[in-house]
Amino acid sequence: MKLSSQFDKNILQIAYNFTKTISTDFAFLAFANKIFYAQSKIEPKTPHSPVTILIQGIYREYPDIALRILRNKIFTNYHLTEMCLGMVKVTAKRIAHIKNISEQNILIKDQIIEISLRKYENNLTEELDFLLKKYDSKMKKELNFMQIAQHLAKEIKIENEKYESCRQVACLLVDSNRNVISYGLNENSKNKTLHAEINMIQNFYNKNNKILPSGSSIYTTLKPCKMCASMIWHCAENISDIKVYFLNDDPGTMAKSTVLNCNSIERIRAAKSEVEKNIKIEMQQSFSQEVSYHGK
C-alpha cells in the first residue's frame, strides 16, 4: 500500500494494531471516529468471511446509517475472494487488500467496534416441512420447483411505502435426489445483503455445516445479481456440477455479466481451469420448459 496521506498512514497503523491482537483474518473500515471490524478464519467455500460478516452486520446493527458507513473503503489483511468482491460490488463501495502492513508510530484514539457473525435460530427442517406440505401436492417426479419458488415469492408482503417493501423473490436449493434442502426469501428492505439466494445459502450452511452439494440445482424467481452469483460460485462443492435456473431476467446493471455467465470479467477472474471458464451454469426457465435434472 503506497502511502499518500495521513489517512493511509492511519489505516496502516490500525491494521498493524489488529495484527497484534487478532490471530486470524480480518476486515475493517473507519467512519466518524469509529473503527468497525470483523474477524474470521477464511474457510474454503463457506458463506462467511470477515468482509461478509462486516457488511451484513453493519446493515443489521446500524440500518439507518449503514449506507453512509459503507461508503468508506473496507480494508483486509487477506486476498479477496470472489464472494467478498461480489458483496462489496452490490452493497458497499470500495475494498482493498493491504499487502504490507507496518507500524507507523501513530496513536489511534478511535473507538473500536467489533461486528460479530449473526446467530441463526430458525429451524430450517421445520420450515422446509411446512413449505412442502403447503406446496408439494404432486408426486416428486412431477414437481415444478420454479412454481413452488414463485408461490413463495408471492408471500412476501408488499408495503405501501416503496422503500419498505422487499422485492418478491424466492429461491430453492434442490439436491440430486430432487429433495428441497433449503430455501430463501428476499429481505433486502431490512438488510441490503439479504437477497433470497444469500439467505438460502447461509441458512443451509448454518443448519447443516455444509456447502452447496455437488449435483444440486438452484431455482430462483429472478436472475441472481453479482453478489448472489459470487456466493453461489464460492460456496459450490463443484461449480461444474451445479445448475442455476431463473424465471425472470433482471434488467439492472448488477445482474448483468455475473460470474455465472461465460466470458464475463468475473468469470475470467474466478475460473481456475478451462472447464470452469466455459461451463454453462445459469439458464432461464419458463414453466412450460422441461428441465433435465443432471441426466436423472
Side-chain angles (χ1 to χ4, degrees):
M1 181 176 178
K2 185 178 179 181
L3 298 183
S4 59
S5 66
Q6 184 62 40
F7 175 78
D8 291 338
K9 293 179 181 179
N10 286 353
I11 291 298
L12 282 180
Q13 183 65 54
I14 293 166
Y16 179 82
N17 292 348
F18 279 135
T19 64
K20 296 301 179 182
T21 58
I22 297 175
S23 60
T24 185
D25 301 303
F26 59 81
F28 70 92
L29 62 79
F31 169 77
N33 298 317
K34 296 180 177 63
I35 300 166
F36 299 92
Y37 80 99
Q39 57 176 313
S40 174
K41 182 181 179 181
I42 295 292
E43 298 284 356
K45 300 184 178 293
T46 60
H48 302 295
S49 70
V51 167
T52 66
I53 295 169
L54 180 66
I55 295 174
Q56 290 190 300
I58 286 173
Y59 275 107
R60 182 181 70 246
E61 302 295 334
Y62 305 93
D64 294 336
I65 60 170
L67 291 174
R68 288 173 54 201
I69 296 174
L70 289 165
R71 288 186 65 84
N72 295 274
K73 183 181 277 190
I74 297 170
F75 298 93
T76 75
N77 69 330
Y78 65 91
H79 292 284
L80 301 170
T81 68
E82 195 63 33
M83 177 178 68
C84 295
L85 292 169
M87 185 165 284
V88 170
K89 182 77 174 179
V90 175
T91 65
K93 193 71 174 177
R94 298 168 294 164
I95 192 166
H97 165 220
I98 306 177
K99 297 179 181 179
N100 298 304
I101 297 174
S102 59
E103 186 173 15
Q104 301 298 305
N105 295 314
I106 298 172
L107 178 63
I108 302 297
K109 298 182 180 180
D110 293 354
Q111 181 183 3
I112 308 296
I113 301 172
E114 182 174 8
I115 302 296
S116 301
L117 183 65
R118 172 189 171 189
K119 293 182 179 180
Y120 292 81
E121 299 177 351
N122 63 320
N123 190 317
L124 182 60
T125 302
E126 290 182 2
E127 291 179 0
L128 285 172
D129 287 345
F130 175 79
L131 181 156
L132 294 178
K133 286 177 182 177
K134 188 170 184 178
Y135 296 117
D136 183 1
S137 60
K138 298 181 179 180
M139 295 296 290
K140 189 181 296 185
K141 65 181 180 181
E142 297 172 348
L143 277 178
N144 188 323
F145 295 111
M146 190 65 79
Q147 197 164 23
I148 295 177
Q150 190 180 49
H151 280 304
L152 274 172
K154 289 179 179 179
E155 292 196 2
I156 298 174
K157 185 179 179 181
I158 299 298
E159 304 291 345
N160 292 329
E161 292 292 331
K162 177 181 178 182
Y163 296 105
E164 292 180 0
S165 291
C166 300
R167 295 179 74 176
Q168 289 183 312
V169 183
C171 72
L172 303 176
L173 177 63
V174 180
D175 69 14
S176 58
N177 294 316
R178 298 177 63 78
N179 296 307
V180 178
I181 56 176
S182 188
Y183 80 101
L185 300 179
N186 184 31
E187 297 180 280
N188 70 325
S189 70
K190 302 176 183 177
N191 183 323
K192 196 174 178 181
T193 69
L194 297 182
H195 290 195
E197 296 91 334
I198 302 297
N199 278 329
M200 177 274 290
I201 294 169
Q202 292 185 334
N203 284 342
F204 181 71
Y205 179 80
N206 294 330
K207 169 63 178 178
N208 302 291
N209 199 32
K210 292 181 180 179
I211 57 180
L212 300 178
S214 183
S216 61
S217 292
I218 294 169
Y219 294 82
T220 181
T221 56
L222 187 68
K223 186 181 190 298
C225 69
K226 292 181 185 293
M227 172 177 65
C228 298
S230 67
M231 187 171 283
I232 291 169
W233 177 279
H234 180 84
C235 295
E237 182 178 25
N238 180 1
I239 195 61
S240 299
D241 194 28
I242 194 168
K243 292 290 181 284
V244 179
Y245 301 105
F246 67 92
L247 180 62
N248 300 308
D249 198 5
D250 187 340
T253 58
M254 288 302 172
K256 298 298 181 185
S257 298
T258 74
V259 70
L260 298 182
N261 305 135
C262 297
N263 300 317
S264 67
I265 293 173
E266 286 83 357
R267 174 68 71 87
I268 293 169
R269 178 179 61 216
K272 295 181 173 59
S273 67
E274 287 300 315
V275 171
E276 287 190 356
K277 277 186 181 179
N278 299 304
I279 191 73
K280 185 175 182 180
I281 302 167
E282 181 186 74
M283 58 204 76
Q284 191 166 13
Q285 180 196 352
S286 65
F287 289 144
S288 61
Q289 288 176 306
E290 292 293 332
V291 178
S292 61
Y293 197 86
H294 299 285
K296 297 185 181 181

